[in-house]
Amino acid sequence: MSHQSTYRPTGPFTEWLDKRLPVPRLMHDSLVDFPTPRNLNYWYTFGGILTFCLISQIVTGIILAMHYTPHVDYAFESVERIMRDVNFGWLLRYAHAVGASMFFFAVYVHIFRGLYYGSYKAPREVLWMLGVVILLLMMATAFMGYVLPWGQMSFWGATVITNFFTAIPLVGNAITEWLWGGFAVGNATLNRFFSLHYLLPFVIFGVVILHIWALHVPGNNNPTGIDVRGKQDTVPFHPYYTVKDGFALSLFCILFAWYVFFAPNALGHPDNYIPADPLVTPPHIVPEWYFLPFYAILRSIPDKLLGVIAMFGSIAILFVLPWLDRSPVRSLRYRPMTQIFFVGFVVACGVLMYCGGKPAEGVYVLWARLATAYYFAYFLLILPIVGLIETPRKLPDSIAKPVLPAPALAGGTPIGATAAPHTDG
Amino acid sequence: MLKATRTLAILLAAGLGLAAGAAQGAGEAKHPHAPPGGWSFEGMFGHYDKAAVQRGFQIYKEVCAACHGMEYVAIRTLGSPSGPGYSEDEVEAVAAEFRVPAGPDPQTGSLVDDIGLPRLRPALPSDRFTSPYPNDIAARAANGGALPPDLSVIAKAREGGASYIYSLMTGYQEPPPGVTLEAGMHYNPYMAGGQIAMPPQLVPDRVAYEDGTEASVEQMASDIATFLNWAAEPELEFRKKLGFMVISYLAVLSLLVFLAYRRLWRNVGH
Ligand code: HEM
């Protein structure tokens, strides 16, 4: 950890343990006394919310797995049995299905937050890249989870998505058959997807621990994007942010509960209540809402291979983002030009999501193409160029200065000496 | 504070926007509608109208069960107090009216009876509403090639749910000029494609309601749709009651945590 440990063992046992396996010390230093910028706003509460989502998915998922049967002849029926015959089975299943949507909602907010406040920039590149790894793992997990109830969308979604791999030259078909474990999506596919769907969340859990580790080395970024310059800029994580995060989490749970109890199927597709039938293709095969923007990128490109490359590229590009953005200033608060382009970027993502749910015809294709072009231009042209030509607004001297009333400042450590004007973000 | 409110407003809008994003167009079919007065089971305090569910079950039993099974619905659940709410004796009597596959003959091991048809026995409350046909081939053969779908979750498997079933059952009409029907098909604008293999089922007084309600087509359609919604979502009443309690609890919790937050941060500039 990058800060001095303040852990004091509370008794003989913790003292004994501290010399052997200092877990309480680790917990204390990372969750209790961790110095956190005092100006974090509500956009910063989503990290805690995401941890809650992951744990909730794992707990509901493990109990579902006790009653679920991964076989093409029984999967649909076993889910119906969970809904009807398992005590509170409907609650588990709806919490798990809605939970996946909530998880993605939270992760997208979290990512846009990072984009806006420049959290991907030095010294947090590894933290950011670990986040992108988590996003990829979440997508794989949710995709395979959606196959498990073995409804029409499960089957046809799996067929469409696995078919992307046939676009790979030469070895495409071989890879696809290897993924299927046969010549089409079938029982072997369902079995391996269940196995991986059970495994990946625990891999995510591991990467989340690395993600938090990588957070605690440089410490949190904050809405001003400037570095912490001393104690006056921070408050201990507990109780200040445990309470703030707790409040945000409680509100988030209200939204979550509203969907679970009053609109549990609003985010799903009715066709998934029709048992999978390889002989009947649904008129519109649409993925879950959280995949729609990527689906729109895929379909906006007329060539299959290039479409698949663009779709994967739209996420891969996030890995190199820290080196694409040339501006020395982190937070878009102080970058008037980029701010406008950022709004355009959010709109482009919204347009992509909308078009992904519509048939690929007429005006939707045009919109999807424009939005795809903007999506890539934002990373490949706008961020590299604007960073060099834009004049940033004046940065505050320190995190504490714009927020602390004068007497409080005077009481703290003199900060004038350290608050030299800086432009290095 | 103002900023925080703005943040929350944006998040809430985005969260509710999910629903809009997820709603996909249902194709060319006519948009389904609820009967006048709407459904008793909609909204935060939704509950099933027990009499309507019972009348709906009567229609299922006397009309639809001739072609459609409900393989995921156990007959015993007719006793559910948040559904049809029949007494134990009534459930047993109802069960005995249905026939389910009997399995092999204990003596001969044969699966068929004297005339070569699958062996059947009277159902027990623990049985499900099995399909009246021994298999899909037989079902198609009896219905001009079309397969009558299982109705257990039909209310969740169609855009519009109960309103779709209501509209479909009342929506049969003469095909408009220019529309030619395929052989054995019937015009119904609510069905995707406008043509359905199921003949019109509901004509006035198709059933004589046990509770004396007048059996108009709209009445019967609304009752069967209510029943099928119960079949698909038997947990609905409990779910909504629990949801109300959970959200009330969370609202109070949020308020308390918010007050704690305000108090804690009172002297901390941020
Ligand atoms: C990253 C965390 C996870 C995500 C995003 C996720 C996502 C999903 C999704 C989208 C579904 C389909 C829901 C439906 O429409 O029915 C699903 C189903 C399922 N998941 Fe998960 N899941 C996660 C973790 C887990 C874990 C850890 C387990 C087991 C240990 C698990 C077990 C299951 C089972 C058994 C089903 C099939 C039952 C059903 O369809 O409701 N999940 N998951």
Side-chain angles (χ1 to χ4, degrees):
Chain A
M1 290 301 121
S2 53
H3 67 107
Q4 200 64 44
S5 178
T6 58
Y7 176 69
R8 297 277 166 279
T10 47
F13 173 72
T14 41
E15 204 172 314
W16 179 87
L17 190 64
D18 194 44
K19 298 210 180 71
R20 288 158 179 85
L21 184 69
V23 171
R25 178 180 296 276
L26 180 74
M27 288 299 164
H28 179 87
D29 293 345
S30 25
L31 296 177
V32 178
D33 189 42
F34 188 72
T36 312
R38 62 199 309 153
N39 61 336
L40 301 188
N41 54 26
Y42 282 105
W43 298 110
Y44 279 77
T45 60
F46 279 84
I49 288 173
L50 282 162
T51 315
F52 167 82
C53 288
L54 178 61
I55 293 172
S56 162
Q57 287 305 93
I58 289 181
V59 171
T60 52
I62 288 178
I63 307 174
L64 283 173
M66 294 174 189
H67 303 280
Y68 169 79
T69 312
H71 186 287
V72 289
D73 292 337
Y74 305 109
F76 190 90
E77 183 182 355
S78 73
V79 171
E80 265 319 302
R81 279 191 168 253
I82 291 172
M83 296 294 290
R84 291 162 193 271
D85 295 343
V86 173
N87 290 334
F88 289 95
W90 59 268
L91 179 55
L92 286 169
R93 167 152 192 262
Y94 282 156
H96 196 77
V98 171
S101 282
M102 290 294 129
F103 203 165
F104 275 92
F105 168 59
V107 89
Y108 288 146
V109 172
H110 194 66
I111 293 171
F112 280 119
R113 185 284 318 262
L115 289 173
Y116 189 80
Y117 294 123
S119 304
Y120 48 86
K121 292 193 187 190
R124 297 184 183 82
E125 304 94 318
V126 173
L127 170 60
W128 170 262
M129 290 157 79
L130 286 168
V132 182
V133 171
I134 295 172
L135 175 66
L136 280 172
L137 288 169
M138 272 174 67
M139 291 178 144
T141 308
F143 161 63
M144 290 189 275
Y146 195 60
V147 177
L148 302 185
W150 208 243
Q152 274 290 67
M153 277 301 152
S154 299
F155 179 86
W156 290 99
T159 302
V160 169
I161 303 224
T162 47
N163 257 309
F164 295 163
F165 292 91
T166 59
I168 303 170
L170 302 175
V171 290
N173 282 324
I175 291 184
T176 312
E177 281 169 15
W178 178 72
L179 288 174
W180 287 336
F183 298 105
V185 173
N187 199 48
T189 326
L190 178 58
N191 264 287
R192 62 193 54 194
F193 279 14
F194 179 53
S195 171
L196 293 173
H197 183 70
Y198 207 135
L199 170 69
L200 289 188
F202 296 92
V203 177
I204 296 178
F205 201 91
V207 183
V208 167
I209 290 176
L210 295 181
H211 188 73
I212 295 175
W213 187 5
L215 167 71
H216 283 184
V217 175
N220 292 76
N221 182 29
N222 66 82
T224 65
I226 63 177
D227 289 328
V228 166
R229 307 210 158 242
K231 254 188 135 31
Q232 71 287 349
D233 287 346
T234 65
V235 290
F237 186 77
H238 179 74
Y240 290 95
Y241 283 108
T242 41
V243 172
K244 187 166 185 167
D245 284 359
F247 172 56
L249 176 61
S250 184
L251 290 185
F252 180 81
C253 285
I254 292 180
L255 181 73
F256 194 157
W258 188 81
Y259 273 110
V260 169
F261 292 103
F262 298 109
N265 294 305
L267 300 168
H269 197 293
D271 278 16
N272 228 25
Y273 281 107
I274 305 171
D277 185 348
L279 300 178
V280 180
T281 317
H284 301 296
I285 302 175
V286 268
E288 293 277 84
W289 70 266
Y290 38 80
F291 291 135
L292 291 178
F294 305 99
Y295 194 53
I297 291 178
L298 170 91
R299 294 192 307 178
S300 70
I301 294 180
D303 179 81
K304 187 174 176 189
L305 179 61
L306 290 179
V308 172
I309 292 175
M311 184 180 66
F312 284 111
S314 64
I315 297 173
I317 205 165
L318 296 174
F319 278 108
V320 287
L321 171 62
W323 296 275
L324 290 174
D325 184 351
R326 312 295 300 162
S327 170
V329 177
R330 283 198 197 103
S331 173
L332 293 197
R333 260 193 198 172
Y334 307 103
R335 300 179 57 188
M337 255 167 122
T338 320
Q339 229 173 37
I340 295 166
F341 286 115
F342 178 82
V343 173
F345 179 72
V346 176
V347 171
C349 291
V351 170
L352 284 172
M353 180 156 144
Y354 178 75
C355 293
K358 296 286 171 192
E361 53 194 35
V363 68
Y364 300 123
V365 179
L366 180 69
W367 287 359
R369 289 201 176 139
L370 289 175
T372 302
Y374 189 89
Y375 182 100
F376 284 102
Y378 182 74
F379 294 113
L380 294 174
L381 293 174
I382 296 172
L383 285 181
I385 296 172
V386 172
L388 299 176
I389 58 176
E390 155 190 71
T391 323
R393 293 199 186 108
K394 193 185 163 327
L395 294 174
D397 292 336
S398 79
I399 294 174
K401 193 147 180 217
V403 296
L404 280 195
L409 256 187
T413 352
I415 55 166
T418 51
H422 60 287
T423 48
D424 62 346
Chain B
M1 199 51 222
L2 209 79
K3 266 194 212 147
T5 324
R6 198 186 55 190
T7 308
L8 287 176
I10 297 177
L11 286 176
L12 202 72
L16 294 174
L18 292 184
Q24 271 97 26
E28 337 69 48
K30 200 167 156 187
H31 197 71
H33 56 90
W39 301 109
S40 67
F41 47 86
E42 268 180 351
M44 268 192 101
F45 302 100
H47 60 92
Y48 288 117
D49 172 351
K50 190 165 295 176
V53 180
Q54 292 196 353
R55 287 194 301 269
F57 173 64
Q58 193 185 341
I59 295 175
Y60 172 73
K61 189 177 68 175
E62 294 180 17
V63 185
C64 322
C67 300
H68 295 277
M70 293 195 300
E71 307 259 359
Y72 304 121
V73 180
I75 298 175
R76 65 180 153 78
T77 57
L78 291 176
S80 157
S82 59
Y86 287 116
S87 73
E88 221 170 291
D89 293 341
E90 284 170 318
V91 172
E92 268 176 35
V94 165
E97 292 178 46
F98 285 84
R99 295 281 174 281
V100 295
D105 185 297
Q107 258 107 57
T108 63
S110 170
L111 283 165
V112 292
D113 62 15
D114 310 343
I115 54 167
L117 293 175
R119 279 164 43 79
L120 298 176
R121 63 165 170 80
L124 297 170
S126 56
D127 285 313
R128 322 272 194 94
F129 293 100
T130 48
S131 164
Y133 304 104
N135 53 54
D136 285 1
I137 301 172
R140 281 187 194 277
N143 286 283
L147 183 69
D150 185 272
L151 295 183
S152 314
V153 286
I154 198 82
K156 291 200 276 191
R158 294 291 184 279
E159 200 81 57
S163 297
Y164 172 74
I165 296 165
Y166 173 79
S167 302
L168 185 76
M169 300 316 287
T170 52
Y172 286 91
Q173 40 181 274
E174 285 301 312
V179 173
T180 39
L181 295 175
E182 286 165 42
M185 298 297 267
H186 308 268
Y187 183 74
N188 192 320
Y190 294 98
M191 178 79 176
Q195 309 194 10
I196 183 164
M198 171 170 67
Q201 293 303 318
L202 302 179
V203 290
D205 296 317
R206 177 69 182 75
V207 297
Y209 273 134
E210 281 157 21
D211 67 0
T213 306
E214 191 197 325
S216 68
V217 172
E218 283 74 22
Q219 181 68 45
M220 289 184 288
S222 147
D223 291 341
I224 185 66
T226 304
F227 173 73
L228 290 176
N229 203 86
W230 168 78
E233 304 195 289
E235 84 299 342
L236 178 140
E237 276 191 12
F238 179 45
R239 167 158 58 76
K240 293 192 172 182
K241 267 191 208 128
L242 190 61
F244 184 75
M245 288 193 282
V246 167
I247 291 186
S248 309
Y249 174 86
L250 286 171
V252 174
L253 179 72
S254 302
L255 182 71
L256 292 178
V257 180
F258 179 68
L259 294 175
Y261 160 72
R262 283 293 291 271
R263 196 181 157 85
L264 179 70
W265 282 77
R266 192 178 34 184
N267 295 322
V268 185
H270 64 286

